[in-house]
Amino acid sequence: MISRKLFRVSAFTAFQLLIVSMIPCMVVAQNNKPLPLLIITDPKTNLSRTVGEAHPLDHISIVGAKGLSIQIKDGNDKLYVNPAVKPVVHFIVGGAIGKHTV
C-alpha cells in the first residue's frame, strides 16, 4: 500500500509538471511580435551587435520600429532626437548623461 500511494503522488506531480511546462509555451506562442532592436557598430572592426546600453557618441541603429516617429530622450528626460520611422534609423548617443530612453 505504501508504494501504491507514492505512485499516485508521483503520477499527479508528473501531470502537474506537464501542465505547468505547457503554460509558458502557450504564452510565448501568442506573443511573437518582433521587438525593435538597438544595434551598435564598432567603427574599428565594422562588426554589429545588439545592445541594451550605450556610451556617449556611440553610433546606434534602431531596426524594426513601428509607428510614425521615434523619441529618444537623455538623462534629463529632454528629447534630443525625434526621427521619422524608417526600416533602419541611425543616431548618435548625446544629450545629458544618465538613463536615456527610446
Side-chain angles (χ1 to χ4, degrees):
M1 283 201 142
I2 293 174
S3 63
R4 190 173 192 191
K5 186 174 182 181
L6 288 175
F7 178 77
R8 285 185 185 160
V9 170
S10 63
F12 183 70
T13 303
F15 178 72
Q16 283 178 321
L17 288 173
L18 176 65
I19 296 300
V20 169
S21 67
M22 289 172 59
I23 291 171
C25 293
M26 289 182 218
V27 172
V28 170
Q30 292 175 356
N31 188 14
N32 58 358
K33 294 180 182 178
L35 296 175
L37 296 175
L38 295 177
I39 299 173
I40 187 169
T41 302
D42 185 337
K44 295 178 185 173
T45 62
N46 204 28
L47 296 175
S48 300
R49 62 182 169 85
T50 58
V51 293
E53 65 180 51
H55 301 284
L57 304 179
D58 278 349
H59 292 252
I60 302 291
S61 301
I62 302 172
V63 179
K66 304 291 183 202
L68 299 175
S69 67
I70 299 170
Q71 294 186 344
I72 303 168
K73 296 182 179 181
D74 66 12
N76 289 336
D77 202 36
K78 180 182 175 190
L79 184 68
Y80 72 96
V81 179
N82 189 20
V85 170
K86 296 185 272 185
V88 179
V89 175
H90 305 282
F91 73 97
I92 298 174
V93 176
I97 61 171
K99 182 179 180 180
H100 292 219
T101 56
V102 178

